[in-house]
Amino acid sequence: MAVEEASWWTRAVVYQVYPRSFSDSDGDGIGDLGGILQRLDHLADLGVDVLWLSPIYPSPQADNGYDISDYRDIDPLFGSLAQLDELIEALHARGMKLLMDLVVNHTSDAHPWFLDARSSKDSAKRDWYWWRPPRPGFAAGEPGAEPTNWQSFFSGPVWELDEASGEYYLHLFDRRQPDLNWENPQVRAAVHEMMRWWLDRGVDGFRMDVINMLSKDVGPHGELHDGPPLPGSALGDGSASYLCGPRIHEFLAEMHREVFAGRDGTFLTVGEMPGVTVEQARLFTDPARAEVDMVFQFEHMDLDRGTSKWDVRPLRMRDLKASFGRWQTGLADVGWNSLYWDNHDQPRAVSRFGDDSPEFRRDSATCLATLLHLHRGTPYVYQGEEIGMANFPFRSLEEFRDVESLNHHVQAMSAGADPASVLAALRTMSRDNARTPVQWDASPHAGFTTGTPWLPVNPDHTEWNVAAQREDGASVLAHYRRLIALRHDLPVVALGDFTMLLPDSDEVYAFTRSLDGETLLVVCNLSRTTHRLAELLPEAPAAELVLGNLADDDPAELRPWEARVLRLA
Ligand code: TEU
């Protein structure tokens, strides 16, 4: 791809804000738009190009806003439309763009569309959702009467019985998140209209929640099919019926046509796609097909999982290289990668993939950052990642708030699991690890709120906070700033070809990036062992250092969690 022809987002870095936990301006303990407006200097100082805002629409907050009850307003918890307009203006004045979260696989069960649909079998909106009678031969409510055996992402069956009509409705996530029926053209038109309304307001694009789940594999008479049984469960895996379903490309191409085609401006669309394959991602992100600009894939997030996300296994370095390498190669000539370690659904990367011991926390956070930001694709920084925020030291069940964690706990207990192991898995994998308030300073609530934070502040904030790192050139924050600047400055970082090196090393991750005669060699030691660099990569010791994460390098040695970006030619 020629440098001049490349899209603006190939050089961009996106920053994700989870508003509830970012910064609270009114003292109610919940972050809000006023808080974001007050912290824009932090984003400008970091140098990011795009702000992606997790949902701030009116919502009962069953899934912290991923259950929307009004697509065209702001929840008073977070502020007002006037403040959103102010945010758009303030970002644009600083040369930054705003991505809204688009959650249209499902609505809240409190959305007027669903209330209408639920009110009667004859409702004009009934078919906007998925309603089905009990399985033949079963009475409504009887165990096994669910229309299919699919297990929900948030534990239990995907079907909830509506007592009044005796029919079930589908929810791939929580029962308070009913799935919209995208087979119905009225649903699609209503979503397109809503998206145009946001673009008219000035937003620059969308991050599209579980967008590869819109199309369900439904037969000509509305048949949905059971999935293969899950081990040790009465439920099955329905994913073959809803991941990248038969009409998904048609729906996304139509959305692009209806919403973006012919519109002036520079937009960005990112499809969040659990379970997407490289082959599918090539189709989704092929510019010639005009569907989405890039996708979030989950392969690297599944490498440390056994039978479920709660069954945690050690990550094997070879698996990580094989996975990242496959995605880099698979989207080298067509399409584009999103790059991330952290987001609001994952435990903190420095605790999960790095080493959050006092000795290695800073070094492993900067090492992981270097590895990711030097890949080809658009990097995403999740709030707090830029200061090395770590998992929370949860002690008891009462400390968790997340619906996924709480549903899992209920389900595991009723299945007779050992309470201590369930708690241990929650502590390691719960999404709440990512959702503790951003640590702005060392004051009692970390400068996040003057009230009581909705989720406790991590006690380590006295040491790990933005204020402590802002002026420190050796901090994690300063390193992120340098990595972001490097992508802006060097076309080879944005667009260079990727080649994986040392695929079999269990501790050293190395690769090259090349463009127009320039080659960077990136070497990252993901371990506590010192390695002889000269033996691993003989050309490395003599190469020019572009960026490193440790001071006073001995060119021949790669120290624990050391990362170096070197120029070979
Ligand atoms: O997440 C989709 C998804 O499948 C996973 O990331 C999931 O949340 C789960 O935690 C994996 O164990 C998106 C949103 O990012 C998430 O916050 C929402 O809860 C979910 O969709 C439903 O809207």
Side-chain angles (χ1 to χ4, degrees):
M1 190 188 302
V3 176
E4 321 66 67
E5 288 164 19
S7 299
W8 65 271
W9 35 257
T10 57
R11 289 179 302 279
V13 176
V14 181
Y15 187 91
Q16 182 191 354
V17 165
Y18 194 66
R20 167 177 280 274
S21 308
F22 188 67
S23 186
D24 173 23
S25 66
D26 61 6
D28 67 355
I30 296 175
D32 48 37
L33 286 171
I36 300 172
L37 281 161
Q38 287 165 5
R39 302 289 185 181
L40 291 185
D41 284 346
H42 175 67
L43 304 193
D45 169 61
L46 198 52
V48 295
D49 307 276
V50 181
L51 166 58
W52 150 29
L53 213 52
S54 278
I56 48 169
Y57 316 95
S59 159
Q61 304 287 326
D63 187 16
N64 289 354
Y66 284 90
D67 49 320
I68 298 170
S69 54
D70 181 352
Y71 285 116
R72 299 191 194 198
D73 205 348
I74 305 295
D75 197 304
L77 203 57
F78 297 122
S80 63
L81 276 173
Q83 276 178 307
L84 188 85
D85 293 341
E86 207 185 316
L87 179 64
I88 294 172
E89 206 180 315
L91 286 170
H92 289 174
R94 290 161 193 264
M96 286 186 253
K97 295 180 186 289
L98 180 66
L99 278 196
M100 296 295 274
D101 219 305
L102 181 80
V103 189
V104 292
N105 174 70
H106 42 269
T107 65
S108 161
D109 62 350
H111 194 291
W113 296 345
F114 187 74
L115 296 178
D116 190 336
R118 185 174 214 166
S119 67
S120 148
K121 279 188 180 178
D122 302 322
S123 153
K125 293 251 168 19
R126 186 76 172 177
D127 181 55
W128 283 39
Y129 295 84
W130 295 88
W131 296 95
R132 291 291 182 277
R135 189 182 287 267
F138 286 79
E142 210 185 311
E146 291 82 15
T148 66
N149 68 350
W150 309 347
Q151 171 167 279
S152 145
F153 282 93
F154 290 166
S155 305
V158 298
W159 297 99
E160 180 75 7
L161 178 64
D162 170 50
E163 300 277 355
S165 64
E167 289 191 334
Y168 288 84
Y169 67 84
L170 175 76
H171 59 89
L172 294 184
F173 293 88
D174 189 66
R175 64 180 171 76
R176 290 159 290 179
Q177 295 169 297
D179 278 49
L180 282 167
N181 176 14
W182 276 71
E183 297 294 316
N184 185 324
Q186 292 174 1
V187 168
R188 307 203 296 274
V191 170
H192 302 154
E193 199 192 326
M194 173 271 281
M195 292 172 75
R196 289 192 295 263
W197 186 84
W198 283 106
L199 293 183
D200 291 345
R201 250 198 138 83
V203 312
D204 303 291
F206 302 94
R207 171 271 187 188
M208 303 172 170
D209 194 62
V210 293
I211 207 72
N212 63 331
M213 302 188 192
L214 299 185
S215 165
K216 275 76 174 173
D217 188 5
V218 56
H221 306 291
E223 311 91 315
L224 296 169
H225 302 287
D226 281 346
L230 288 163
S233 166
L235 296 173
D237 173 7
S239 60
S241 294
Y242 57 76
L243 292 185
C244 301
R247 299 183 69 187
I248 187 61
H249 292 287
E250 175 196 334
F251 291 163
L252 292 183
E254 178 190 52
M255 180 187 280
H256 189 277
R257 242 182 1 257
E258 293 294 324
V259 177
F260 294 98
R263 193 176 266 270
D264 277 343
T266 42
F267 303 110
L268 176 61
T269 54
V270 189
E272 190 215 22
M273 300 197 178
V276 70
T277 61
V278 185
E279 293 69 32
Q280 279 288 354
R282 271 175 77 90
L283 298 175
F284 284 121
T285 64
D286 177 352
R289 297 171 58 96
E291 295 181 21
V292 293
D293 295 323
M294 57 186 93
V295 306
F296 283 119
Q297 57 94 2
F298 284 72
E299 212 175 86
H300 59 303
M301 291 290 137
D302 291 341
L303 297 176
D304 59 352
R305 95 191 247 154
T307 51
S308 80
K309 76 175 267 179
W310 309 109
D311 174 20
V312 190
R313 308 281 167 89
L315 170 75
R316 297 188 328 174
M317 198 50 53
R318 289 168 205 221
D319 295 345
L320 182 69
K321 291 179 189 179
S323 172
F324 273 174
R326 186 160 0 89
W327 281 86
Q328 290 286 308
T329 312
L331 301 185
D333 54 339
V334 171
W336 193 250
N337 273 296
S338 304
L339 308 170
Y340 71 92
W341 286 128
D342 262 325
N343 63 41
H344 64 292
D345 292 333
Q346 303 295 337
R348 289 285 179 179
V350 69
S351 302
R352 181 181 185 184
F353 303 119
D355 182 337
D356 63 7
S357 67
E359 193 182 357
F360 293 114
R361 179 158 162 191
R362 181 231 162 255
D363 299 348
S364 68
T366 49
C367 183
L368 287 174
T370 310
L371 188 160
L372 192 83
H373 282 245
L374 267 293
H375 276 68
R376 188 168 190 270
T378 299
Y380 286 70
V381 180
Y382 175 65
Q383 62 184 36
E385 181 182 351
E386 76 278 23
I387 56 164
M389 276 180 66
N391 280 355
F392 185 85
F394 291 102
R395 287 171 312 255
S396 69
L397 182 68
E398 291 63 46
E399 289 172 313
F400 293 95
R401 294 285 171 275
D402 177 32
V403 60
E404 182 192 44
S405 299
L406 299 177
N407 286 4
H408 167 65
H409 183 263
V410 170
Q411 187 271 328
M413 287 298 109
S414 72
D418 163 43
S421 340
V422 175
L423 186 62
L426 288 181
R427 192 180 293 127
T428 314
M429 289 308 286
S430 174
R431 307 194 296 183
D432 281 334
N433 281 301
R435 300 174 179 186
T436 61
V438 171
Q439 298 164 200
W440 296 103
D441 59 39
S443 68
H445 296 311
F448 164 71
T449 181
T450 53
T452 306
W454 73 277
L455 200 61
V457 168
N458 196 313
D460 69 12
H461 75 277
T462 48
E463 189 184 345
W464 293 86
N465 62 66
V466 174
Q469 296 190 23
R470 197 176 286 124
E471 307 298 333
D472 175 3
S475 65
V476 180
L477 181 58
H479 195 74
Y480 268 88
R481 221 183 264 138
R482 286 191 286 266
L483 286 170
I484 294 165
L486 199 65
R487 172 165 298 263
H488 293 156
D489 293 347
L490 300 184
V492 65
V493 174
L495 297 172
D497 292 336
F498 178 98
T499 307
M500 187 70 82
L501 306 174
L502 311 176
D504 296 329
S505 166
D506 288 321
E507 298 189 333
V508 178
Y509 191 117
F511 55 94
T512 58
R513 302 288 312 282
S514 306
L515 184 76
D516 297 337
E518 180 173 19
T519 296
L520 299 181
L521 169 62
V522 183
V523 206
C524 302
N525 182 358
L526 301 178
S527 79
R528 290 185 175 194
T529 320
T530 296
H531 285 269
R532 294 287 306 160
L533 192 53
E535 285 162 25
L536 287 173
L537 298 158
E539 67 277 42
E544 174 202 347
L545 182 68
V546 178
L547 183 67
N549 69 335
L550 301 186
D552 307 321
D553 289 332
D554 169 354
E557 286 207 328
L558 197 63
R559 286 167 291 167
W561 294 102
E562 180 163 9
R564 280 192 226 164
V565 181
L566 302 160
R567 185 173 278 114
L568 288 185

Short mmCIF file of all heavy atoms in Angstrom, two decimals, residues 198-247:
data_model
loop_
_atom_site.label_atom_id
_atom_site.label_comp_id
_atom_site.label_asym_id
_atom_site.label_seq_id
_atom_site.Cartn_x
_atom_site.Cartn_y
_atom_site.Cartn_z
N TRP A 198 -26.76 10.37 14.31
CA TRP A 198 -25.52 10.63 15.06
C TRP A 198 -24.45 11.26 14.18
O TRP A 198 -23.72 12.15 14.61
CB TRP A 198 -25.01 9.35 15.72
CG TRP A 198 -25.80 9.00 16.96
CD1 TRP A 198 -26.72 8.00 17.08
CD2 TRP A 198 -25.77 9.68 18.22
NE1 TRP A 198 -27.25 8.00 18.35
CE2 TRP A 198 -26.69 9.02 19.08
CE3 TRP A 198 -25.06 10.77 18.72
CZ2 TRP A 198 -26.92 9.42 20.39
CZ3 TRP A 198 -25.28 11.16 20.04
CH2 TRP A 198 -26.20 10.51 20.85
N LEU A 199 -24.38 10.79 12.94
CA LEU A 199 -23.37 11.39 12.04
C LEU A 199 -23.72 12.85 11.77
O LEU A 199 -22.83 13.71 11.75
CB LEU A 199 -23.28 10.61 10.73
CG LEU A 199 -22.72 9.18 10.82
CD1 LEU A 199 -22.62 8.58 9.42
CD2 LEU A 199 -21.36 9.13 11.50
N ASP A 200 -25.02 13.13 11.62
CA ASP A 200 -25.44 14.52 11.41
C ASP A 200 -25.04 15.38 12.61
O ASP A 200 -24.79 16.58 12.48
CB ASP A 200 -26.96 14.61 11.22
CG ASP A 200 -27.41 14.01 9.89
OD1 ASP A 200 -26.54 13.79 9.02
OD2 ASP A 200 -28.62 13.73 9.73
N ARG A 201 -25.01 14.81 13.77
CA ARG A 201 -24.60 15.52 14.99
C ARG A 201 -23.12 15.78 15.04
O ARG A 201 -22.64 16.54 15.89
CB ARG A 201 -24.96 14.66 16.21
CG ARG A 201 -26.06 15.22 17.00
CD ARG A 201 -26.19 14.70 18.38
NE ARG A 201 -26.49 15.83 19.24
CZ ARG A 201 -27.72 16.33 19.40
NH1 ARG A 201 -28.75 15.78 18.82
NH2 ARG A 201 -27.89 17.38 20.17
N GLY A 202 -22.36 15.05 14.21
CA GLY A 202 -20.91 15.31 14.16
C GLY A 202 -20.02 14.18 14.62
O GLY A 202 -18.80 14.34 14.66
N VAL A 203 -20.58 13.04 14.99
CA VAL A 203 -19.69 11.95 15.40
C VAL A 203 -18.98 11.38 14.17
O VAL A 203 -19.44 11.54 13.04
CB VAL A 203 -20.40 10.84 16.22
CG1 VAL A 203 -21.26 11.43 17.33
CG2 VAL A 203 -21.21 9.93 15.33
N ASP A 204 -17.85 10.74 14.41
CA ASP A 204 -16.98 10.34 13.30
C ASP A 204 -17.02 8.85 12.98
O ASP A 204 -16.21 8.38 12.19
CB ASP A 204 -15.54 10.76 13.63
CG ASP A 204 -15.43 12.24 13.91
OD1 ASP A 204 -15.59 13.02 12.95
OD2 ASP A 204 -15.24 12.64 15.08
N GLY A 205 -17.91 8.14 13.63
CA GLY A 205 -18.01 6.71 13.31
C GLY A 205 -18.46 5.91 14.50
O GLY A 205 -18.88 6.46 15.54
N PHE A 206 -18.36 4.59 14.34
CA PHE A 206 -18.92 3.69 15.35
C PHE A 206 -18.00 2.50 15.60
O PHE A 206 -17.41 1.96 14.67
CB PHE A 206 -20.27 3.14 14.90
CG PHE A 206 -21.29 4.21 14.62
CD1 PHE A 206 -21.47 4.71 13.33
CD2 PHE A 206 -22.06 4.73 15.65
CE1 PHE A 206 -22.40 5.71 13.07
CE2 PHE A 206 -23.00 5.73 15.40
CZ PHE A 206 -23.17 6.21 14.11
N ARG A 207 -17.97 2.09 16.85
CA ARG A 207 -17.45 0.78 17.23
C ARG A 207 -18.72 -0.07 17.38
O ARG A 207 -19.63 0.30 18.12
CB ARG A 207 -16.66 0.89 18.53
CG ARG A 207 -16.25 -0.45 19.15
CD ARG A 207 -17.30 -0.99 20.09
NE ARG A 207 -16.83 -2.18 20.80
CZ ARG A 207 -17.59 -2.94 21.57
NH1 ARG A 207 -18.86 -2.62 21.75
NH2 ARG A 207 -17.12 -3.99 22.17
N MET A 208 -18.79 -1.14 16.64
CA MET A 208 -20.05 -1.87 16.52
C MET A 208 -20.02 -3.14 17.35
O MET A 208 -19.33 -4.11 17.02
CB MET A 208 -20.27 -2.21 15.05
CG MET A 208 -20.26 -0.96 14.17
SD MET A 208 -20.30 -1.43 12.43
CE MET A 208 -20.60 0.17 11.68
N ASP A 209 -20.80 -3.12 18.41
CA ASP A 209 -20.84 -4.21 19.38
C ASP A 209 -21.32 -5.53 18.75
O ASP A 209 -22.35 -5.53 18.06
CB ASP A 209 -21.81 -3.80 20.50
CG ASP A 209 -21.70 -4.66 21.73
OD1 ASP A 209 -20.63 -4.69 22.34
OD2 ASP A 209 -22.70 -5.32 22.09
N VAL A 210 -20.60 -6.61 19.02
CA VAL A 210 -20.94 -7.97 18.52
C VAL A 210 -21.66 -7.95 17.17
O VAL A 210 -22.67 -8.63 16.97
CB VAL A 210 -21.74 -8.78 19.57
CG1 VAL A 210 -20.87 -9.09 20.76
CG2 VAL A 210 -23.02 -8.11 20.04
N ILE A 211 -21.06 -7.21 16.24
CA ILE A 211 -21.77 -6.94 14.98
C ILE A 211 -21.84 -8.19 14.09
O ILE A 211 -22.69 -8.26 13.21
CB ILE A 211 -21.14 -5.72 14.26
CG1 ILE A 211 -22.16 -5.02 13.39
CG2 ILE A 211 -19.89 -6.10 13.51
CD1 ILE A 211 -23.21 -4.26 14.12
N ASN A 212 -20.96 -9.17 14.33
CA ASN A 212 -21.05 -10.40 13.51
C ASN A 212 -22.12 -11.36 14.02
O ASN A 212 -22.22 -12.48 13.55
CB ASN A 212 -19.69 -11.12 13.43
CG ASN A 212 -19.19 -11.60 14.77
OD1 ASN A 212 -19.50 -11.00 15.81
ND2 ASN A 212 -18.42 -12.67 14.80
N MET A 213 -22.94 -10.90 14.99
CA MET A 213 -24.02 -11.78 15.49
C MET A 213 -25.40 -11.36 14.97
O MET A 213 -26.41 -11.92 15.35
CB MET A 213 -24.02 -11.78 17.02
CG MET A 213 -22.70 -12.24 17.60
SD MET A 213 -22.78 -12.46 19.39
CE MET A 213 -21.03 -12.63 19.78
N LEU A 214 -25.42 -10.34 14.10
CA LEU A 214 -26.72 -9.82 13.64
C LEU A 214 -27.52 -10.86 12.86
O LEU A 214 -28.74 -10.92 12.98
CB LEU A 214 -26.52 -8.59 12.74
CG LEU A 214 -25.85 -7.36 13.34
CD1 LEU A 214 -25.87 -6.23 12.32
CD2 LEU A 214 -26.52 -6.94 14.63
N SER A 215 -26.84 -11.62 12.03
CA SER A 215 -27.57 -12.55 11.15
C SER A 215 -27.62 -13.94 11.78
O SER A 215 -26.59 -14.56 12.02
CB SER A 215 -26.87 -12.61 9.79
OG SER A 215 -27.33 -13.73 9.06
N LYS A 216 -28.83 -14.41 12.04
CA LYS A 216 -29.01 -15.75 12.59
C LYS A 216 -29.36 -16.71 11.46
O LYS A 216 -30.06 -16.33 10.51
CB LYS A 216 -30.12 -15.75 13.66
CG LYS A 216 -29.67 -15.34 15.06
CD LYS A 216 -29.44 -13.88 15.27
CE LYS A 216 -29.13 -13.48 16.71
NZ LYS A 216 -28.76 -12.06 16.83
N ASP A 217 -28.89 -17.94 11.57
CA ASP A 217 -29.16 -18.93 10.54
C ASP A 217 -30.56 -19.49 10.74
O ASP A 217 -30.77 -20.42 11.51
CB ASP A 217 -28.10 -20.04 10.63
CG ASP A 217 -28.20 -21.00 9.47
OD1 ASP A 217 -29.01 -20.74 8.55
OD2 ASP A 217 -27.46 -22.00 9.47
N VAL A 218 -31.50 -18.90 10.04
CA VAL A 218 -32.90 -19.25 10.25
C VAL A 218 -33.46 -19.87 8.98
O VAL A 218 -33.20 -19.40 7.88
CB VAL A 218 -33.69 -17.99 10.70
CG1 VAL A 218 -33.54 -16.85 9.72
CG2 VAL A 218 -35.15 -18.29 10.96
N GLY A 219 -34.19 -20.97 9.14
CA GLY A 219 -34.75 -21.66 7.98
C GLY A 219 -35.93 -20.92 7.39
O GLY A 219 -36.42 -19.94 7.96
N PRO A 220 -36.43 -21.40 6.23
CA PRO A 220 -37.51 -20.70 5.52
C PRO A 220 -38.79 -20.58 6.35
O PRO A 220 -39.59 -19.66 6.13
CB PRO A 220 -37.75 -21.55 4.27
CG PRO A 220 -36.97 -22.80 4.46
CD PRO A 220 -35.94 -22.57 5.51
N HIS A 221 -38.98 -21.47 7.31
CA HIS A 221 -40.19 -21.38 8.14
C HIS A 221 -39.85 -20.93 9.55
O HIS A 221 -40.53 -21.27 10.50
CB HIS A 221 -40.92 -22.73 8.14
CG HIS A 221 -41.22 -23.21 6.76
ND1 HIS A 221 -42.14 -22.57 5.95
CD2 HIS A 221 -40.67 -24.21 6.02
CE1 HIS A 221 -42.15 -23.18 4.75
NE2 HIS A 221 -41.27 -24.17 4.78
N GLY A 222 -38.74 -20.19 9.67
CA GLY A 222 -38.36 -19.65 10.98
C GLY A 222 -37.63 -20.64 11.87
O GLY A 222 -37.46 -20.39 13.05
N GLU A 223 -37.16 -21.76 11.29
CA GLU A 223 -36.50 -22.77 12.13
C GLU A 223 -35.14 -22.28 12.60
O GLU A 223 -34.36 -21.72 11.83
CB GLU A 223 -36.26 -24.09 11.36
CG GLU A 223 -37.43 -24.64 10.61
CD GLU A 223 -37.48 -24.13 9.17
OE1 GLU A 223 -37.30 -22.92 8.95
OE2 GLU A 223 -37.74 -24.95 8.27
N LEU A 224 -34.86 -22.53 13.86
CA LEU A 224 -33.53 -22.33 14.44
C LEU A 224 -33.09 -23.71 14.93
O LEU A 224 -33.91 -24.50 15.38
CB LEU A 224 -33.60 -21.34 15.61
CG LEU A 224 -34.04 -19.92 15.25
CD1 LEU A 224 -34.34 -19.10 16.51
CD2 LEU A 224 -32.97 -19.21 14.41
N HIS A 225 -31.78 -23.97 14.86
CA HIS A 225 -31.33 -25.34 15.13
C HIS A 225 -30.50 -25.45 16.40
O HIS A 225 -29.71 -24.57 16.70
CB HIS A 225 -30.53 -25.85 13.93
CG HIS A 225 -31.33 -25.83 12.67
ND1 HIS A 225 -32.35 -26.70 12.42
CD2 HIS A 225 -31.30 -24.96 11.62
CE1 HIS A 225 -32.91 -26.41 11.26
NE2 HIS A 225 -32.29 -25.34 10.74
N ASP A 226 -30.65 -26.58 17.10
CA ASP A 226 -29.80 -26.86 18.26
C ASP A 226 -28.34 -26.89 17.85
O ASP A 226 -28.01 -27.23 16.71
CB ASP A 226 -30.16 -28.24 18.85
CG ASP A 226 -31.42 -28.18 19.71
OD1 ASP A 226 -31.85 -27.06 20.06
OD2 ASP A 226 -31.97 -29.25 20.03
N GLY A 227 -27.45 -26.57 18.81
CA GLY A 227 -26.02 -26.68 18.58
C GLY A 227 -25.48 -27.91 19.29
O GLY A 227 -26.18 -28.54 20.09
N PRO A 228 -24.21 -28.25 19.03
CA PRO A 228 -23.61 -29.41 19.69
C PRO A 228 -23.62 -29.24 21.21
O PRO A 228 -23.37 -28.13 21.70
CB PRO A 228 -22.17 -29.44 19.16
CG PRO A 228 -21.96 -28.15 18.45
CD PRO A 228 -23.30 -27.58 18.11
N PRO A 229 -23.91 -30.32 21.97
CA PRO A 229 -23.99 -30.20 23.41
C PRO A 229 -22.66 -29.75 24.02
O PRO A 229 -21.59 -30.12 23.53
CB PRO A 229 -24.35 -31.61 23.90
CG PRO A 229 -24.34 -32.49 22.71
CD PRO A 229 -24.18 -31.68 21.48
N LEU A 230 -22.75 -28.92 25.06
CA LEU A 230 -21.54 -28.49 25.77
C LEU A 230 -21.22 -29.54 26.83
O LEU A 230 -22.13 -30.05 27.49
CB LEU A 230 -21.78 -27.14 26.42
CG LEU A 230 -21.86 -25.96 25.47
CD1 LEU A 230 -22.51 -24.75 26.13
CD2 LEU A 230 -20.48 -25.60 24.94
N PRO A 231 -19.92 -29.86 27.00
CA PRO A 231 -19.55 -30.90 27.96
C PRO A 231 -20.11 -30.61 29.35
O PRO A 231 -20.01 -29.47 29.84
CB PRO A 231 -18.01 -30.87 27.98
CG PRO A 231 -17.58 -29.91 26.92
CD PRO A 231 -18.77 -29.25 26.33
N GLY A 232 -20.73 -31.59 29.96
CA GLY A 232 -21.22 -31.46 31.33
C GLY A 232 -22.38 -30.49 31.48
O GLY A 232 -22.61 -29.97 32.57
N SER A 233 -23.12 -30.22 30.40
CA SER A 233 -24.19 -29.24 30.48
C SER A 233 -25.39 -29.74 29.68
O SER A 233 -25.23 -30.49 28.70
CB SER A 233 -23.70 -27.91 29.92
OG SER A 233 -24.79 -27.05 29.68
N ALA A 234 -26.59 -29.29 30.07
CA ALA A 234 -27.77 -29.62 29.29
C ALA A 234 -27.88 -28.70 28.08
O ALA A 234 -28.71 -28.91 27.19
CB ALA A 234 -29.01 -29.48 30.16
N LEU A 235 -27.04 -27.66 28.05
CA LEU A 235 -27.12 -26.68 26.97
C LEU A 235 -26.12 -26.99 25.87
O LEU A 235 -25.24 -27.85 26.03
CB LEU A 235 -26.86 -25.28 27.54
CG LEU A 235 -27.92 -24.81 28.56
CD1 LEU A 235 -27.49 -23.51 29.21
CD2 LEU A 235 -29.28 -24.67 27.88
N GLY A 236 -26.26 -26.28 24.76
CA GLY A 236 -25.38 -26.51 23.62
C GLY A 236 -24.74 -25.21 23.14
O GLY A 236 -25.07 -24.12 23.60
N ASP A 237 -23.80 -25.37 22.21
CA ASP A 237 -23.10 -24.23 21.63
C ASP A 237 -23.82 -23.83 20.34
O ASP A 237 -23.72 -24.52 19.34
CB ASP A 237 -21.65 -24.64 21.35
CG ASP A 237 -20.89 -23.57 20.59
OD1 ASP A 237 -21.44 -22.46 20.39
OD2 ASP A 237 -19.75 -23.84 20.18
N GLY A 238 -24.52 -22.71 20.40
CA GLY A 238 -25.31 -22.29 19.23
C GLY A 238 -24.54 -21.41 18.28
O GLY A 238 -25.11 -20.89 17.30
N SER A 239 -23.24 -21.23 18.52
CA SER A 239 -22.53 -20.17 17.79
C SER A 239 -22.56 -20.36 16.27
O SER A 239 -22.57 -19.38 15.54
CB SER A 239 -21.10 -20.03 18.30
OG SER A 239 -20.39 -21.23 18.14
N ALA A 240 -22.62 -21.63 15.81
CA ALA A 240 -22.67 -21.83 14.35
C ALA A 240 -23.93 -21.19 13.75
O ALA A 240 -23.96 -20.88 12.56
CB ALA A 240 -22.64 -23.32 14.03
N SER A 241 -24.93 -20.95 14.58
CA SER A 241 -26.17 -20.36 14.07
C SER A 241 -26.19 -18.84 14.14
O SER A 241 -27.12 -18.22 13.63
CB SER A 241 -27.37 -20.87 14.89
OG SER A 241 -27.55 -22.24 14.70
N TYR A 242 -25.20 -18.24 14.82
CA TYR A 242 -25.27 -16.77 14.89
C TYR A 242 -23.94 -16.04 14.73
O TYR A 242 -23.91 -14.81 14.71
CB TYR A 242 -25.97 -16.31 16.18
CG TYR A 242 -25.33 -16.81 17.47
CD1 TYR A 242 -24.16 -16.25 17.94
CD2 TYR A 242 -25.92 -17.84 18.20
CE1 TYR A 242 -23.58 -16.70 19.11
CE2 TYR A 242 -25.35 -18.30 19.37
CZ TYR A 242 -24.17 -17.73 19.82
OH TYR A 242 -23.60 -18.18 20.97
N LEU A 243 -22.80 -16.76 14.61
CA LEU A 243 -21.54 -16.05 14.35
C LEU A 243 -21.33 -16.00 12.83
O LEU A 243 -21.28 -17.03 12.17
CB LEU A 243 -20.34 -16.76 14.99
CG LEU A 243 -20.27 -16.76 16.52
CD1 LEU A 243 -18.97 -17.40 16.98
CD2 LEU A 243 -20.38 -15.36 17.09
N CYS A 244 -21.24 -14.79 12.29
CA CYS A 244 -21.07 -14.61 10.85
C CYS A 244 -22.14 -15.42 10.09
O CYS A 244 -21.82 -16.23 9.22
CB CYS A 244 -19.66 -15.00 10.39
SG CYS A 244 -18.37 -14.07 11.20
N GLY A 245 -23.38 -15.21 10.46
CA GLY A 245 -24.51 -15.92 9.85
C GLY A 245 -24.67 -15.59 8.37
O GLY A 245 -23.96 -14.74 7.83
N PRO A 246 -25.62 -16.28 7.71
CA PRO A 246 -25.71 -16.26 6.25
C PRO A 246 -25.85 -14.85 5.63
O PRO A 246 -25.38 -14.63 4.53
CB PRO A 246 -26.96 -17.09 5.94
CG PRO A 246 -27.46 -17.63 7.21
CD PRO A 246 -26.60 -17.17 8.34
N ARG A 247 -26.50 -13.91 6.34
CA ARG A 247 -26.73 -12.60 5.70
C ARG A 247 -25.85 -11.49 6.26
O ARG A 247 -26.06 -10.32 5.98
CB ARG A 247 -28.21 -12.22 5.87
CG ARG A 247 -29.15 -13.22 5.20
CD ARG A 247 -30.61 -12.78 5.33
NE ARG A 247 -30.91 -11.59 4.53
CZ ARG A 247 -32.08 -10.94 4.59
NH1 ARG A 247 -33.03 -11.37 5.40
NH2 ARG A 247 -32.28 -9.87 3.85
#
